[in-house]
Amino acid sequence: NSARSARPPSAASAMASPALISDTDQWKALQAHVGAIHKTHLRDLMTDADRCKAMTAEFEGVYLDYSRQQATTETIDKLFKLAEAAKLKEKIDKMFKGEKINTTENRSVLHVALRAPRDAVINSDGVNVVPEVWAVKDKIKQFSETFRSGSWVGATGKPLTNVVSVGIGGSFLGPLFVHTALQTDPEAAEAAKGRQLRFLANVDPVDVARSIKDLDPATTLVVVVSKTFTTAETMLNARTIKEWIVSSLGPQAVSKHMIAVSTNLKLVKEFGIDPNNAFAFWDWVGGRYSVCSAVGVLPLSLQYGFPIVQKFLEGASSIDNHVHTSSFEKNIPVLLGLLSVWNVSFLGYPARAILPYCQALEKLAPHIQQLSMESNGKGVSIDGVRLPFEAGEIDFGEPGTNGQHSFYQLIHQGRVIPCDFIGVIKSQQPVYLKGETVSNHDELMSNFFAQPDALAYGKTPEQLHSEKVPENLIPHKTFQGNRPSLSFLLSSLSAYEIGQLLSIYEHRIAVQGFIWGINSFDQWGVELGKSLASTVRKQLHASRMEGKPVEGFNPSSASLLTRFLAVKPSTPYDTTVLPKV
Ligand code: F6P
């Protein structure tokens, strides 16, 4: 398997150190079990009807079939034992109780409180946070109703119909995912008629140009979304969009055209946004877990109305309840988390493909990429001990069938990549052409059902011979099969199910981190690049403004920078320039 045996023990692990999960008998039992699994083939495992039935779980119309995992019921039992050794149940309880499980930042992890019912009691630092959460939601409801009714008018007296949400990472990807998923839901689409919601994330001026293309500042509201209100990209984008508004409508327009979401209300005020138009959240909400806070709830409510967003929150809450109270045998996020640990740490598969057969879920994979890779991309345990095994995985994906015509070749005949297939029973937008064999959605779903079996069964040289395939092509047309996947079938895709799906992945990723014994709620790994960028920023300023030579960089960076600076910018540094498209 993928144990990092070559890595020398760190000073911390050489001393008497807190136990790692990989030191337990339960972990070793799974390692010993890998050999037995390598002797099996999914082609054979799939003939066992009892096994197939046992490897399913269902909750409120979300159906999970994990029979195409390279696992037997014995594997699952061993994984449950590992969960016990990792104290998974206790860790989930601690999260729901608001204990400070994000120890490196001394914070509770309470995104579940964001969607808890009004009468729930969830404490952080001995204070029930649920009333505060609902106070912000009530404020969003009221603000979005005023906004959507046309009573909130801009500087020229016109109602605002366009929203640009400025934010990056967790202040962008979750809301983008939900917006993209709701866009074609008939109820949500009806509620959003005549409105536009756009996102500006990248500090690339091209993204600024795209986000405001054909928009009139007079009818646009900008929401600056930043947990810290210090993120360099977001703050420059916010200043740029502020300039776009001010240069067209005057400085007094800011209070009517710019609002904010942040935990740092002091900086919001200093930026020039009216504190009455700021929507709070709390440090116990991790950025990538923040879509259910004002980060997502505000822009989505402006576009779709609060009642639809509330259904999304209720869907997420239903899964919170499920993960907290169901036995592990029936617990979808727990099963998923354990299987991912099995695939990564024991079978040695470093990646996971997220493949929704649903265009509305087009932005699921980018969101899960941050959620998973920022959460579990860690090299030390929560106690700071270097891990002797790999944690985290590389998440990527595209909607099927687009992915089939792109990277599935590698998945079928190249590397082994466990796949999440996600299908929806009822399409948001049914289409049928009279005379066609099947409806458009059934055509899509034919692929959803076929691909997992193609991966699991493959195609043998014997089959190819019987099909009279020329000898020289047999190796090329052989599919080894035995490639793991799991299939989700959702009854439909409205706001409620979108919330369920989000919450399933959030908890699955937390479960993986709990088993690995890492902190899935900090992200120190993003800091180094940020501080180095600040050194480069200073150099660029000094060279452009004062003609200073490049110094203090290694030879490679120095020559790259010199080459970059040799070309005079098309936008001189002495005048404001905004995008022209
Ligand atoms: O990329 C690091 C990160 O801190 C993410 O965790 C976060 O989602 C993103 O930056 C944006 O941060 P903020 O909401 O504070 O602007």
Side-chain angles (χ1 to χ4, degrees):
N1 64 44
S2 66
R4 290 183 186 148
S5 46
R7 187 176 282 187
S10 66
S13 60
M15 293 184 302
S17 56
L20 289 169
I21 188 65
S22 52
D23 294 333
T24 62
D25 290 345
Q26 292 82 347
W27 182 277
K28 288 172 193 159
L30 277 158
Q31 282 179 321
H33 177 65
V34 168
I37 288 301
H38 280 324
K39 288 193 191 111
T40 65
H41 194 291
L42 280 169
R43 207 179 284 142
D44 307 314
L45 292 177
M46 293 304 292
T47 60
D48 181 345
D50 291 337
R51 175 185 167 279
C52 287
K53 193 159 172 244
M55 290 187 151
T56 61
E58 187 168 8
F59 176 73
E60 276 190 1
V62 179
Y63 183 75
L64 167 69
D65 182 337
Y66 56 97
S67 60
R68 289 175 190 77
Q69 289 286 301
Q70 281 182 290
T72 59
T73 48
E74 193 190 338
T75 321
I76 306 298
D77 285 343
K78 288 186 189 304
L79 285 168
F80 289 147
K81 294 205 173 93
L82 183 72
E84 246 173 68
K87 300 199 172 22
L88 178 61
K89 177 82 191 110
E90 289 90 323
K91 288 177 182 172
I92 293 174
D93 283 344
K94 280 185 183 176
M95 181 172 81
F96 276 84
K97 274 195 214 141
E99 286 192 27
K100 298 199 170 176
I101 60 170
N102 176 358
T103 48
T104 60
E105 295 179 308
N106 194 29
R107 289 175 182 169
S108 311
V109 175
L110 278 180
H111 46 282
V112 294
L114 302 170
R115 52 251 188 165
R118 213 181 263 275
D119 58 358
V121 176
I122 302 179
N123 291 317
S124 174
D125 277 329
V127 177
N128 180 14
V129 298
V130 178
E132 299 176 53
V133 167
W134 274 94
V136 175
K137 280 197 265 196
D138 289 340
K139 184 174 166 183
I140 293 176
K141 181 169 182 288
Q142 205 185 13
F143 183 87
S144 58
E145 280 166 4
T146 312
F147 178 82
R148 290 169 56 79
S149 70
S151 317
W152 178 279
V153 290
T156 63
K158 287 186 191 164
L160 311 183
T161 48
N162 310 311
V163 173
V164 178
S165 183
V166 181
I168 198 164
S171 295
F172 159 58
L173 290 161
L176 176 71
F177 152 59
V178 180
H179 170 53
T180 312
L182 282 173
Q183 241 170 354
T184 38
D185 168 60
E187 190 193 2
E190 182 60 34
K193 261 202 180 135
R195 306 187 166 278
Q196 283 192 68
L197 171 58
R198 298 192 187 176
F199 293 88
L200 168 56
N202 198 342
V203 75
D204 185 340
V206 172
D207 208 18
V208 178
R210 286 183 184 180
S211 71
I212 57 175
K213 186 172 162 37
D214 300 330
L215 288 189
D216 179 356
T219 53
T220 303
L221 180 75
V222 177
V223 191
V224 183
V225 184
S226 175
K227 180 173 168 178
T228 54
F229 231 70
T230 58
T231 302
E233 294 91 334
T234 299
M235 297 328 295
L236 180 54
N237 276 337
R239 291 192 295 275
T240 307
I241 295 291
K242 187 179 179 185
E243 185 59 35
W244 175 68
I245 287 170
V246 169
S247 61
S248 160
L249 304 170
Q252 78 296 344
V254 171
S255 64
K256 285 289 174 192
H257 290 265
M258 292 190 86
I259 63 174
V261 176
S262 186
T263 59
N264 197 334
L265 299 182
K266 185 173 164 278
L267 290 186
V268 170
K269 191 172 171 207
E270 281 170 26
F271 181 87
I273 290 177
D274 182 348
N276 293 321
N277 300 333
F279 296 81
F281 68 114
W282 307 271
D283 69 2
W284 41 260
V285 184
R288 54 195 175 273
Y289 295 89
S290 67
V291 57
C292 295
S293 73
V295 166
V297 173
L298 178 61
L300 294 165
S301 296
L302 296 173
Q303 178 72 357
Y304 299 105
F306 182 79
I308 288 181
V309 181
Q310 176 54 19
K311 283 186 199 162
F312 158 74
L313 297 175
E314 283 164 11
S317 177
S318 81
I319 296 293
D320 295 342
N321 201 31
H322 167 69
V323 78
H324 197 190
T325 59
S326 300
S327 67
F328 285 175
E329 291 76 12
K330 297 192 176 133
N331 196 317
I332 292 177
V334 167
L335 287 164
L336 291 170
L338 289 173
L339 289 165
S340 290
V341 170
W342 170 241
N343 286 325
V344 173
S345 299
F346 298 96
L347 297 182
Y349 301 142
R352 172 169 62 196
I354 297 162
L355 308 170
Y357 279 68
C358 178
Q359 194 63 27
L361 296 176
E362 157 187 31
K363 296 294 177 190
L364 175 67
H367 176 50
I368 302 310
Q369 217 166 41
Q370 186 205 11
L371 195 59
S372 161
M373 294 170 77
E374 198 165 88
S375 295
N376 290 338
K378 306 288 161 67
V380 296
S381 78
I382 194 155
D383 300 306
V385 179
R386 183 139 293 281
L387 298 175
F389 56 85
E390 303 283 359
E393 67 243 283
I394 302 154
D395 283 284
F396 70 101
E398 271 293 319
T401 59
N402 297 11
Q404 287 174 210
H405 295 275
S406 166
F407 53 78
Y408 277 33
Q409 165 66 38
L410 180 139
I411 295 179
H412 280 289
Q413 288 187 312
R415 291 166 182 259
V416 178
I417 298 185
C419 297
D420 289 359
F421 289 98
I422 304 166
V424 180
I425 296 177
K426 261 183 78 185
S427 173
Q428 287 181 337
Q429 296 289 334
V431 172
Y432 175 66
L433 303 184
K434 197 172 159 205
E436 287 286 342
T437 320
V438 289
S439 70
N440 296 35
H441 185 62
D442 283 353
E443 174 67 23
L444 170 74
M445 291 301 283
S446 305
N447 291 279
F448 167 83
F449 292 110
Q451 289 290 332
D453 276 342
L455 288 168
Y457 288 77
K459 196 158 192 183
T460 62
E462 293 72 37
Q463 285 171 296
L464 293 167
H465 279 128
S466 71
E467 290 171 13
K468 309 250 175 305
V469 170
E471 201 55 43
N472 64 324
L473 288 182
I474 301 275
H476 299 281
K477 292 194 158 196
T478 298
F479 291 67
Q480 289 163 328
N482 205 26
R483 285 158 191 258
S485 68
L486 50 85
S487 303
F488 283 106
L489 205 46
L490 308 179
S491 50
S492 56
L493 193 74
S494 69
Y496 190 85
E497 291 81 18
I498 296 165
Q500 288 185 311
L501 196 58
L502 172 92
S503 183
I504 286 173
Y505 272 93
E506 283 180 348
H507 290 305
R508 171 197 205 170
I509 286 157
V511 164
Q512 289 178 240
F514 289 147
I515 300 287
W516 281 319
I518 58 178
N519 185 352
S520 301
F521 308 106
D522 62 10
Q523 58 286 318
W524 300 106
V526 302
E527 295 305 325
L528 180 59
K530 284 187 197 170
S531 67
L532 293 184
S534 138
T535 313
V536 178
R537 186 185 302 122
K538 280 187 198 128
Q539 176 71 60
L540 293 180
H541 178 84
S543 298
R544 297 266 197 232
M545 302 297 280
E546 298 152 31
K548 292 251 171 80
V550 171
E551 51 191 25
F553 293 89
N554 62 44
S556 161
S557 299
S559 63
L560 285 165
L561 279 165
T562 306
R563 180 176 278 259
F564 179 69
L565 285 162
V567 180
K568 293 276 159 280
S570 52
T571 53
Y573 264 29
D574 56 1
T575 170
T576 293
V577 177
L578 290 172
K580 293 184 184 58
V581 291

